[in-house]
Each structure stands twice: as C-alpha cells, then as structure tokens.
Amino acid sequence: MCGIIGYIGPKSVVPVILDGLKRLEYRGYDSAGIAVVDRGEIRVRRVKGKVKDLEDSLREEPLQGTYGLGHTRWATHGRPSEENAHPHKDCSGRLVIVHNGIIENYLALKQKLRAEGHTFKTETDTEVIVHLLEKYYRGSLEEAMRAAIGEIEGAFAVAALAADEPDRIVAAKQGPPIVVGLGDGEFLISSDINAILAHTPNVVFLEDGEMAILDRSGARFTDFHGVPKAKTVERVSWSPLMMEKRGFKHFMLKEIFEQPEVVRDTLLGRMSLDTGRVMLDEIGIPEATLRRVRKAVIIACGTSYHAGLVGKYLMESLAGIPVDVEYASEFRYRDFILDPDTLVIVVSQSGETADTLAALRAAKDRCAAVLAVTNARSSSIAREAYGVLYTNAGPEIGVAATKTFTAQMTALALIALYLAQVQERMDHAALLEFIQEFQRIPYKMEKILGRAKAVEDLAARFVSFSHFLFLGRWVNFPVALEGALKLKEISYIHAEAYPGGEMKHGPIALIDEKMPTLAIVPEDRVYDKMLSNISEIKARNGYVIAVASDDDARIRERVDAVIAVPAAPPLLMPFLTAVPLQLFAYYIAAKRGADVDQPRNLAKSVTVE
Ligand code: AGP
C-alpha cells in the first residue's frame, strides 16, 4: 500500500529517490517524504500530497546528501498529513525509518515506549518502530533492527538508517515486498523492481523473516536471528522503457493498447497449433495430481476475482469440472470445506494482496494443490503456492487493472484447456479448433482498439452522468462486473453490474433516462434473453448501449448505440467485450479530468487487510 525506497551509491541521492518514488507512486500517493544524510546529519522533508509536491518543495529548498530513504504513502493509521508522512525520526533525530505494512500491536508498544520516556509526534503505527530502534540502538543498526522487529506483530517492509552509522541502510521484511538492487557500486532497496530498473537489472527478492544490510561495498542478507542467508541474484528482463508511457496520455491507456501483445506473450510456448496441445508443465503440478482433480476453487479480489469468474465458465465448459469462485476476503474467514481432489487457484497480478495471500495459506494443506496465477515473479503468492502460472503482461503501472485482467483470463483459459487435455475431456479436434480460435484473439483485439475513437466519441456523451448499469449474462456477466468496476474506480461514477436475468428481480426499478445501461450482447446462447432485457429497459425510457458482434444485423434497431466487436467463439468473447468497456471507462474518466493512473483512495497492491 505504500512505496519505500533506499539508495547508497555515487549518484546524487535526492534525484534518485524522487525518481524512484514516482515509479512507486501507484502504490499510494496521499503523502511523501525523503530522508538524506548530509555531513553526519539526517535531513528530512515530507509533504501532504504527491511526489510532485515533494519535488517542488525540494526545488525551493534543496537537500543535499550522499545516501537516503524515500516513502510514498497510502494512509492506514493516521490521516494523510505532513506530520504522519514518512520518514519518521526517533527522539534524538539520529535514526530514521520508512515502512510499508501495519503494526498490529502498535498501541501497546506506543504506551510502553511512552512510559519509557519516548515522545511521539504522529498518529501512525509506524512511529513505534523508530522508537524501538532508539531503545535498542547501541551502535549497531542491524542489531537494533533485530531487537525492534522482535517486538512487532503485523506486516512490515521497513528500512532504516542511523546518522551515527554512515553509509548503511538496514531493511527487514515480513509481509509486504522488499527488492534489493545490486548495481555497479550502487545499492538500493525498494517495494518494487520498477524503482530499481533504472539503475540495475540485478535484483534479490527478500523473503519473510529476512533482512538486508546495504553499504557502499554491497549488500548482505541474514534472517531475523542474524544467521547469514545466501540469496539468488535474479536478472530482470523488463526494460525501463516498458515503464514509460510511450506517447500515451496515461499508463492505463497504454496498457489497454498493450493487451493484444500481452495475450500473445502469455500464450507463447504454452499451446501448439502443430500438435493441438497445451504445454503447462511449468506450473509444477504433476499430471497425476491434475487427473485426480474433481473440483476447482478460484480465490481472488477485485478485478482478479472477475477474471476468476470468467475462468469458472471456461473450466466448466471445457474441462467439465465444477468451479467455485470466492472473494479472498470472505473465504479466509469462512469455515470453508475443501477436499483432497480440489484444485485451489489464487489469482493476483501483484502477488502481494494480503487477503489473497491469507486465503492461500488457509487453503494450502487442505486441497490437492494451490496454483497461483500472478504477474509478479518471486512475489509472496508465487513463492508460497505449490505451482505458478505467470502472466506475461509486463509491469502494469495504472492502478486500474486492464492488461493484467486480460492476461489472467488467458492464463485461466490455458489452465481450463490443460485440465481438459489431462483429463481427456476434449477430443483432439475440439482442442485444436479452440487453440486456433484463441490464436486469433489478439488480432481481433487490435481491430477493436482501432475503433477507440468511436468509443471515445460515445463516452463523451456520458461524462456528466452519475449512475450506470452494466448487464451481461453467462460468460459475459463477469465482464459486466469488470466494466462497472473500471468506471467506478477511475471516474468515480456509481456503476453496478447485474446478470441480465436479475433485472426483473429489482434493478429494473432503477431504470430511467438518468440511468443508462451498457449491455453486453454477443450472439451466444443467451442472446435472445439479453434482447428481452433490452426491450424491458427501452420500454421504460432507459438508454441502452450494446457491445455486440460486428455482423449482428438485429441489434441496431433495438438499442441507442452499438460498440461493435469482431465475432469469436462464445467462450472467447470476454477477451473482446472487455476492451470497449475499459476504453469507455477510460475516456469518461479522462474527460472528467480524473487522475486516471492514480485514482483517489486506491492503491495498486492492497498489501494490508
Ligand atoms: C482493479 O482495477 C483494482 N486495482 C483492484 O480491484 C485489484 O484488482 C485488486 O486489488 C486485486 O489485486 P491483485 O490482482 O494484485 O491481487
């Protein structure tokens, strides 16, 4: 939920920290701060607002330093304010920290530390950490960190420096991510690799219970007891260029347009037109285990939950197994029942969503296997699952998920096909035909993207509306849910999605000229039923926009506007019907002047509960 960064090296530290914070800002952006060490003194600057506000402040009153820490915040404890912004100093001003996570026992610690004479200046949970460091500091920041985290309960990705221990940054991880960058004479810690890539592609991912100690000679790693840890250095293939907007006004629009490539990259090497087979050995789950699978449970949050719902329809239709889809935040607290023949699939683009990680841990030893679908290599969810199928979407900077949603549907479709293949539920001809049609989807997505201007012109007519209804049935109902979420989260317009069949059970009472409906109506098994829903809405002066197939001649006289998409097999239509809804939400939000890439109150990765 927050972004932390630290740098030691020959470069001027303030620009490095600021650039890193900009690349982390999608994780939280209600306040930001920096701490640098200058001639033995710790200098801190914090602002309520975005990194740009911090940059403006530093331009007016520069700070100099040779190493330091930075933080961009998504407030959990303590309202967004300069005082509550990180970094936080101890009473002496000789120690400073930045933190991502939640300290669950902070109130008890705060009372105890106050009783021991510590003065607190903020409302945050984080401040207890720096006072614990102060309590235990006897000249070794590393030892003080170990003692401090021994008293903490909760989740923390924390980094600290001490004025009396020059050129050293100490970090500790329990929950939220910490990545260490190993450059040429320069070393970084960060919440995300994209703040490191501008300096080095060589990274180490800290695991829970581990610490990193950085100085000008390098980085070493230990566990929380001080036992040295040998860590694997990974070379990240993403280029810094992939982080840039490449001429698009917003990252979100760029990522919507990247979707055809993302589908191709996620399919690459995993299915063959020659053999008509799906190759998913990489997931690391033996075929014998998959042959035993009699049920699947997909667990996720937000957009990933919607992708999971699409996966449900695909797995039921292709692999012939029953599938439940669960909100992770609900599943983890239920007295859920799983059996040894159930495959649990957790879906999370960030691989760090706290509720999804908790659900994974709860289910782990009570099912056949847990398979993670994630976009983040070496993420907590990737590491703790039994098997992993990575989506190859590249970094998604826009807080609103788009290309990772499509990538997740691609991965879930591959899993459905793989289960069908392993359990011999589909004959070879049917599997080959599906694979052939799947290969054509990116091209069809490109055709839709080529019509973006028509969607933009239509969206312009709805900029001032306050409510929207999204309808879909069968495999497109999850797409209606996703379309409503997109509109909500980036334009702040209230939007609801319903299965078309539910309209007559209440929602139709909402229909009037102020409540437009966006209906997803491809020519599939529920087409006629959707036409009936549309007629019921039109009969009540409702305005209806239809997302329909190019060659559908009937729809145009039934609705007020049509966004046409190429036809494809019904089970693959979500890949095509989702794109206009993403564009529709994007253009309305952009025309409303909303902060499309960093919508208010949101964060890209919800690593707290
Ligand atoms: C979607 O646009 C939102 N950013 C949010 O619902 C997101 O999908 C959800 O928080 C799950 O994130 P994850 O995929 O990283 O687990």
Side-chain angles (χ1 to χ4, degrees), residues 301-304 347-351 353 356 399-401 408 485-486 489 604 606:
C301 301
T303 288
S304 300
V347 183
S348 172
Q349 70 82 17
S350 65
T353 297
T356 309
V399 166
Q408 288 167 346
L485 176 61
K486 287 286 111 20
E489 65 177 332
K604 184 64 180 173
V606 184

Side-chain angles (χ1 to χ4, degrees), residues 102-105 109 128-129 132 147-156:
I102 286 188
I103 308 303
E104 293 177 353
N105 62 333
L109 288 171
V128 298
I129 305 174
L132 285 171
I149 56 183
E151 295 202 24
I152 292 170
E153 292 164 21
F156 51 87

Side-chain angles (χ1 to χ4, degrees), residues 5 12 14 24 30 122 148 169 177 199 201 232 270 284 338 378 381 385 405 410 424 513 591 609:
I5 184 166
S12 170
V14 170
L24 294 171
D30 56 42
T122 82
I169 292 176
H199 307 283
T232 305
R270 293 167 167 170
L338 294 174
S378 296
I381 284 172
F405 171 67
T410 305
E424 298 175 2
E513 59 284 350
K591 291 178 188 309
E609 299 171 20

Side-chain angles (χ1 to χ4, degrees), residues 30-91:
D30 56 42
S31 51
I34 184 171
V36 298
V37 178
D38 177 23
R39 293 182 298 258
E41 295 299 321
I42 294 176
R43 314 271 189 228
V44 174
R45 184 74 55 80
R46 303 176 302 183
V47 296
K48 177 180 186 295
K50 296 197 159 185
V51 174
K52 186 177 176 332
D53 301 309
L54 178 63
E55 188 171 35
D56 293 345
S57 168
L58 289 163
R59 189 177 302 112
E60 284 162 29
E61 294 178 65
L63 286 181
Q64 302 300 329
T66 55
Y67 68 105
L69 302 171
H71 186 275
T72 182
R73 185 172 182 240
W74 187 84
T76 53
H77 293 71
R79 67 202 183 310
S81 67
E82 178 181 341
E83 201 48 70
N84 288 333
H86 304 205
H88 292 319
K89 286 169 82 169
D90 72 324
C91 304

Side-chain angles (χ1 to χ4, degrees), residues 113 245 261 394 470 481 522 572 592:
L113 288 160
K245 292 178 190 166
E261 210 47 45
F470 286 74
L481 287 169
L572 288 171
R592 285 166 66 101

